[in-house]
Amino acid sequence: MDGSRENLLHLYLHIDELEPRGGILELLRSIRPQWKPQDIHMKTFTEGLTNKLIGCFVGSLQENDCVLVRLYGRMTELYVNREREVQMFQVLHSYRCGPQIYCTFQNGICYEFVPGTVLDDTLVRQPPIYRLIAAEMGKIHCIRPEGGQGEPFIWTKMSHFLALLLKSRNISPVAQRRPDSWVAFPGVPSFGILSGEMETLKRHLSQIDSPVVLCHNDLLIKNIIYNHTDGMVKFIDYEYADYNYQAFDIGNHFNEFAGVEDINYSRYPGVELQRDWLTAYLESYKHSSGLEVRVTDAEVTRLYVQVCKFSLASNFFWGLWAIFQSRHSTIHFNFQRYATARLSYYFKKKEEYFGMNPKLDINSGV
């Protein structure tokens, strides 16, 4: 794969999460030696649920030379492949789809600030903007780095989360013989049920002919930056970027319409918005693949059905993630409520989406 750590600066520096300024100033002496410490401003961003992000700049935040310093969250090394994340930064930057990474350090990374407006619930529903998002995703899905196509990461990642959850419970030998006795907290299924659901998902979704492509895999609304001046969008944060099913990346993004802090699935995009979004996506995907840019209703319907099905995997995956976070994260966020919401919607839509096929009457609604 294009990109590696070989030519990337690594600083043997650990920045204190509670008192980060001193460590960040030491980092900036290496990558911005011309900056005077007394002139450096720092702004803490609070959008992330697992990391701390700090913007560093001289003058204005919106100036081109703002530097972002991200401190890794507690225990994120258990489930985030940091080598892979750096590779994704470098690959996406080389294709002009992502910011430049400046350096890594013991507990984080430092990279280029992407100027623009962070999207919100209103902006992401505006046709000119969501078509840009669809087109950008289509472009990224066509990136073919050296080394060939990888395996879809979703099943390995789900299995890893389940293993972490089982281990984190420190359950007794009796419970190990009876996995169904494992419960994370009220409202969440037992370990045995969750394990069985993953296998059911894998059997069903592995039979669907969704291409394996380079995916973002975590396209929260807040992970999209809209630059009004240039009329373009860029995606940020690549902790989960890897090869995965095309329809997962799209379905995952649609799930994020429901929100994070106050998750509400009534905000999930309707059929009309989805079809328009998918049309723009397919036009971009075909164009970037060198194919004829002609999209039929049948192609849109087929992808729509695939996306509905893979949106189940997205909800299940982040439900597992939230259960783990509820036990280990120091971030002030109601992970238990989030896990319950994601898994509840998974079970609510499972039968309906499993029963869908490409000949579905699209006007019947979701």
Side-chain angles (χ1 to χ4, degrees):
M1 175 177 285
D2 292 333
S4 70
R5 287 182 182 252
E6 290 181 6
N7 298 316
L8 181 64
L9 175 66
H10 178 73
L11 303 175
Y12 291 93
L13 170 70
H14 187 282
I15 297 178
D16 188 338
E17 181 182 353
L18 299 179
E19 298 290 340
R21 185 173 178 87
I24 291 177
L25 289 177
E26 184 177 345
L27 179 152
L28 292 174
R29 278 197 289 271
S30 295
I31 64 168
R32 292 294 183 272
Q34 72 276 20
W35 287 5
K36 298 178 180 179
Q38 65 269 24
D39 295 335
I40 297 173
H41 302 283
M42 296 185 189
K43 178 180 178 180
T44 300
F45 298 92
T46 57
E47 304 298 350
L49 293 182
T50 54
N51 305 288
K52 190 168 191 176
L53 186 64
I54 300 170
C56 310
F57 52 96
V58 173
S60 169
L61 175 63
Q62 291 294 331
E63 291 182 10
N64 292 332
D65 201 23
C66 178
V67 170
L68 294 179
V69 177
R70 175 144 59 85
L71 306 181
Y72 298 148
R74 180 173 178 265
M75 298 184 75
T76 54
E77 71 280 359
L78 292 178
Y79 57 86
V80 176
N81 185 332
R82 296 303 179 187
E83 291 286 341
R84 192 65 160 173
E85 180 185 12
V86 169
Q87 287 181 333
M88 291 297 103
F89 258 100
Q90 294 177 313
V91 167
L92 290 167
H93 176 65
S94 70
Y95 283 85
R96 300 182 179 179
C97 292
Q100 180 181 359
I101 183 169
Y102 297 133
C103 72
T104 61
F105 52 97
Q106 297 296 81
N107 62 323
I109 57 175
C110 178
Y111 53 96
E112 179 184 13
F113 175 77
V114 178
T117 302
V118 176
L119 288 197
D120 57 27
D121 295 342
T122 300
L123 288 172
V124 78
R125 293 179 177 277
Q126 294 185 6
I129 295 179
Y130 72 62
R131 289 171 190 149
L132 288 175
I133 297 169
E136 183 71 5
M137 186 181 286
K139 179 181 176 182
I140 289 173
H141 284 181
C142 288
I143 292 175
R144 300 289 185 267
E146 292 179 2
Q149 175 179 296
E151 295 297 319
F153 98 132
I154 188 62
W155 309 125
T156 302
K157 211 74 167 177
M158 279 188 189
S159 296
H160 185 54
F161 268 126
L162 284 168
L164 288 173
L165 291 175
L166 187 59
K167 183 178 180 180
S168 71
R169 292 297 295 178
N170 192 24
I171 58 179
S172 68
V174 173
Q176 286 179 334
R177 291 193 296 270
R178 298 180 57 191
D180 284 342
S181 66
W182 182 94
V183 177
F185 44 79
V188 169
S190 69
F191 180 84
I193 291 175
L194 291 174
S195 297
E197 286 298 324
M198 193 202 83
E199 292 304 319
T200 299
L201 268 174
K202 186 174 182 179
R203 283 195 303 272
H204 184 84
L205 298 182
S206 295
Q207 298 175 22
I208 297 171
D209 189 24
S210 181
V212 175
V213 297
L214 192 61
C215 293
H216 185 283
N217 290 316
D218 188 24
L219 201 56
L220 302 165
I221 292 175
K222 299 296 185 181
N223 278 347
I224 305 170
I225 306 297
Y226 172 55
N227 189 314
H228 175 75
T229 303
D230 296 336
M232 61 192 300
V233 298
K234 291 296 177 186
F235 304 158
I236 59 174
D237 291 355
Y238 310 118
E239 284 189 306
Y240 299 92
D242 211 327
Y243 289 102
N244 204 4
Y245 297 103
Q246 174 193 62
F248 178 94
D249 215 15
I250 301 172
N252 185 75
H253 174 59
F254 287 168
N255 277 332
E256 297 301 343
F257 278 57
V260 176
E261 294 285 346
D262 180 26
I263 191 166
N264 181 352
Y265 281 96
S266 69
R267 296 195 289 258
Y268 193 91
V271 176
E272 184 178 351
L273 189 155
Q274 288 187 61
R275 288 185 67 85
D276 192 39
W277 197 105
L278 294 172
T279 300
Y281 168 85
L282 286 170
E283 289 173 349
S284 172
Y285 185 72
K286 286 188 170 188
H287 174 75
S288 298
S289 299
L291 302 174
E292 179 187 359
V293 183
R294 176 178 173 272
V295 177
T296 66
D297 285 343
E299 288 174 316
V300 174
T301 298
R302 180 172 179 270
L303 182 55
Y304 167 82
V305 171
Q306 292 178 343
V307 166
C308 285
K309 291 176 180 290
F310 274 94
S311 73
L312 292 172
S314 161
N315 277 318
F316 189 79
F317 175 79
W318 293 112
L320 296 180
W321 170 88
I323 296 172
F324 180 82
Q325 291 293 339
S326 72
R327 299 188 56 78
H328 298 289
S329 178
T330 57
I331 304 270
H332 182 65
F333 181 78
N334 194 332
F335 288 104
Q336 292 190 10
R337 183 176 64 183
Y338 188 80
T340 301
R342 297 297 297 247
L343 291 172
S344 294
Y345 199 71
Y346 163 79
F347 284 107
K348 178 181 178 180
K349 305 301 288 187
K350 175 186 170 183
E351 183 177 352
E352 176 188 344
Y353 286 173
F354 269 24
M356 292 173 66
N357 62 72
K359 297 181 181 179
L360 176 75
D361 178 7
I362 214 68
N363 295 316
S364 62
V366 181

